[in-house]
Amino acid sequence: MTKKAKVISLSVAAVIGFIIIFLALMTWFFPYSSFSMKKSMTYSPDPFVVEGYVADLNEFKEIYEADKASEEMKNLKIDRTQYILPIFEQKWLVNKESITIDKLDFDTMLFDVVQARQILLSLMVQEDYTTEQKQYLADLIENLLALEDSISEIQHSPFVTRSTLDHQIRELQGGFEHSLSFFAMYYERS
């Protein structure tokens, strides 16, 4: 091999090595960037937060199941709750273990929150509520809009660092907790 061929092969190897190192670093530090090889991140929730959330969710589900089983309690709110409840039962919200969240998960999350908001808007029009009940429903819808904004912000910020993304997901988890409490208040008072 000539000296020129060695220089060319070493240059090519150096460029390929640089590209691999660059992509590995981008994947680690900016998991959802366009340079990331695997657009996902492992999220480790606080087990105490998850435990409290699951307890609140189970408490609400007991009330809902009792209402659903009761013949005289049949109404549109109870019927529509079956379509809203899944947004609060997502794996990453109810699991104490680390879980991988990818871009598709955020798309699904956003779609489900938008659907829940649309169901609640239709309930606002179809049902007769007192002023207080309408206010609970309006607060819930406003909270869901904030969740939509948070999810969209994560989706459209590809160059957010892993630590910032972890913080945003924790805030998103808190947003779902608040939405669950707003939904429970609306449900119990209407």
Side-chain angles (χ1 to χ4, degrees):
M1 196 184 259
T2 67
K3 188 174 183 180
K4 188 176 183 178
K6 285 183 181 179
V7 169
I8 291 174
S9 65
L10 284 175
S11 298
V12 169
V15 168
I16 291 172
F18 175 76
I19 290 171
I20 290 171
I21 290 171
F22 174 78
L23 291 176
L25 289 173
M26 289 300 284
T27 299
W28 177 254
F29 289 108
F30 305 101
Y32 294 126
S33 77
S34 53
F35 296 110
S36 180
M37 293 182 285
K38 185 179 176 189
K39 294 180 183 2
S40 66
M41 176 182 155
T42 302
Y43 174 65
S44 301
D46 182 340
F48 296 110
V49 172
V50 173
E51 197 172 293
Y53 177 81
V54 169
D56 292 345
L57 179 63
N58 288 337
E59 183 180 317
F60 172 76
K61 284 170 63 175
E62 286 175 14
I63 295 167
Y64 167 65
E65 291 298 329
D67 288 349
K68 197 166 81 168
S70 174
E71 283 300 316
E72 68 266 0
M73 292 294 289
K74 298 278 184 204
N75 65 29
L76 201 53
K77 173 191 72 175
I78 294 171
D79 181 59
R80 297 301 189 262
T81 297
Q82 67 183 320
Y83 304 111
I84 297 169
L85 204 51
I87 70 167
F88 301 115
E89 298 174 318
Q90 298 175 63
K91 283 189 309 189
W92 73 278
L93 290 170
V94 297
N95 194 346
K96 291 181 187 178
E97 308 299 320
S98 295
I99 190 162
T100 300
I101 301 175
D102 61 18
K103 291 286 244 184
L104 183 60
D105 291 328
F106 287 114
D107 291 339
T108 304
M109 224 182 284
L110 182 61
F111 178 79
D112 291 344
V113 171
V114 168
Q115 292 293 2
R117 180 179 48 81
Q118 290 173 345
I119 290 168
L120 292 168
L121 284 170
S122 72
L123 275 176
M124 186 176 267
V125 173
Q126 295 172 347
E127 292 285 310
D128 261 348
Y129 292 118
T130 65
T131 305
E132 179 186 17
Q133 292 168 333
K134 282 183 183 178
Q135 186 59 49
Y136 284 121
L137 189 53
D139 290 343
L140 173 58
I141 291 169
E142 188 177 313
N143 198 277
L144 289 176
L145 283 169
L147 276 179
E148 288 177 38
D149 289 343
S150 296
I151 295 167
S152 292
E153 182 181 332
I154 292 171
Q155 284 182 311
H156 297 103
S157 300
F159 289 102
V160 171
T161 63
R162 182 174 293 277
S163 62
T164 302
L165 193 54
D166 186 67
H167 180 72
Q168 287 177 320
I169 293 173
R170 287 187 194 287
E171 286 181 355
L172 187 61
Q173 185 179 20
F176 275 98
E177 286 179 62
H178 289 318
S179 292
L180 176 62
S181 63
F182 278 119
F183 185 62
M185 282 192 304
Y186 151 72
Y187 185 89
E188 291 168 9
R189 293 188 169 88
S190 60

